[in-house]
Amino acid sequence: MVVSRLQSHDNRGKLYVVGTGPGDLLQMTPRALKALGEADCVIGNGFYLDLVEPMLAGKEVIRSSMGKEVDRASRALELARDRVVAMVSGGDAGVYGMASIVLEVAERSGTTVAVEIIPGITAAVSAGARLGSPLSGDYVTMSLSDLLTPREEIERRLDLAFRMRVPVVLYNPRSRGRPHNLDAAVAIARRHLPETTPVGVIKNAYREGEERLITTLREFNDHFAFVDMHSIVFIGGEETRIWRDETDARGIITPRGYHRKYVY
């Protein structure tokens, strides 16, 4: 067993990798806000920097574009040798975020810079709350982005996930460059789930322009145009249901299992 503290050997600099949650400052943790407040320099993708803009006054801000994650990680570690640096990452930095590449670059470079990963609310949790309780027990998250994972491997994993008949959350569901990845995922879902399976989509969770869609697997194809890279898609499991009132769908519920043990 190795017990250690993530501290710089020279104690001069530090790198925070900050999960900013869905983008609303009210949805960030106090620890994340404190780290941004402590930082001399904040680095990140421009979209996520814009979401935390009120926290950036008086700081050096370094904007980076998509596809430059390795360069961004290297630059942040270099700056953190003698400065306090915050790298922002949407949602939780450890879930399809920047934490892994920062740690990989740190490991390979042999840096002594202290790195602290600060968790944030990942999209499955924030968007799930907007739908009700679609993920109350076991579930699977999958990214449909094939930039780093081959499409064949994504489809193999999706098939295994839907076989379990638990809710599946799809990150990066549909972009202009790969509009058909969502079609393929839904086709795989249909192999293992009934057409009445609930499907929920949240676009821009907790941000300006937030929208919600609740439908079924049968009808979902008619709504693909609603889905983009600012959306997250929930495909229910075998017990997931839509909670309806007289006029509308109020939300999605996946029972935890209390009905098998209690009367209520």
Side-chain angles (χ1 to χ4, degrees):
M1 177 183 292
V2 177
V3 179
S4 63
R5 298 182 66 186
L6 290 175
Q7 290 186 332
S8 169
H9 290 185
D10 54 23
N11 290 318
R12 289 184 300 168
K14 183 162 189 174
L15 174 58
Y16 296 114
V17 185
V18 181
T20 60
D24 185 331
L25 293 183
L26 292 175
Q27 301 298 320
M28 288 179 65
T29 67
R31 183 70 188 94
L33 293 170
K34 185 173 184 292
L36 288 179
E38 292 176 5
D40 307 308
C41 173
V42 182
I43 184 170
N45 177 273
F47 175 79
Y48 299 112
L49 287 170
D50 289 341
L51 293 174
V52 298
E53 192 274 335
M55 300 296 300
L56 304 181
K59 302 179 186 300
E60 180 182 0
V61 177
I62 299 175
R63 293 177 176 269
S64 176
S65 60
M66 294 293 290
K68 300 291 186 180
E69 289 82 7
V70 176
D71 292 342
R72 194 185 313 157
S74 298
R75 180 78 183 281
L77 287 163
E78 180 181 352
L79 290 167
R81 289 177 181 174
D82 56 7
R83 303 175 68 184
V84 178
V85 178
M87 158 100 57
V88 297
S89 186
D92 182 90
V95 181
Y96 309 120
M98 287 297 299
S100 64
I101 186 58
V102 168
L103 295 181
E104 286 184 79
V105 171
E107 177 187 41
R108 296 190 183 191
S109 69
T111 183
T112 61
V113 168
V115 180
E116 181 178 343
I117 311 300
I118 298 176
I121 302 174
T122 187
V125 176
S126 59
R130 289 310 212 196
L131 287 169
S133 184
L135 307 177
S136 55
D138 300 324
Y139 65 92
V140 175
T141 63
M142 289 284 304
S143 171
L144 298 190
S145 172
D146 55 15
L147 293 176
L148 300 175
T149 304
R151 182 180 300 181
E152 296 76 16
E153 179 61 18
I154 293 171
E155 293 183 1
R156 184 188 74 84
R157 295 176 187 178
L158 284 168
D159 186 72
L160 293 171
F162 288 121
R163 284 176 187 269
M164 291 192 289
R165 302 173 74 86
V166 299
V168 175
V169 187
L170 302 177
Y171 284 62
N172 305 310
R174 187 172 183 268
S175 69
R176 289 189 296 270
R178 49 178 187 279
H180 302 301
N181 287 17
L182 181 60
D183 308 55
V186 171
I188 294 169
R190 287 201 172 100
R191 296 178 198 164
H192 307 291
L193 296 167
E195 294 287 288
T196 55
T197 299
V199 174
V201 183
I202 298 291
K203 183 186 294 187
N204 294 315
Y206 292 94
R207 299 193 296 268
E208 183 179 354
E210 179 182 282
E211 297 181 86
R212 184 177 86 160
L213 169 70
I214 295 177
T215 185
T216 64
L217 205 52
R218 177 189 293 117
E219 300 166 346
F220 188 32
N221 283 63
D222 297 332
H223 300 286
F224 279 179
F226 177 81
V227 181
D228 61 16
M229 288 294 283
H230 300 297
S231 306
I232 186 148
V233 176
F234 296 74
I235 299 179
E238 60 184 343
E239 292 191 289
T240 306
R241 65 177 184 267
I242 297 174
W243 176 22
R244 300 185 185 275
D245 60 20
E246 293 82 0
T247 60
D248 200 4
R250 294 187 62 179
I252 295 177
I253 302 172
T254 299
R256 178 81 184 277
Y258 291 102
H259 60 287
R260 289 189 283 271
K261 189 171 182 181
Y262 303 101
V263 176
Y264 54 90

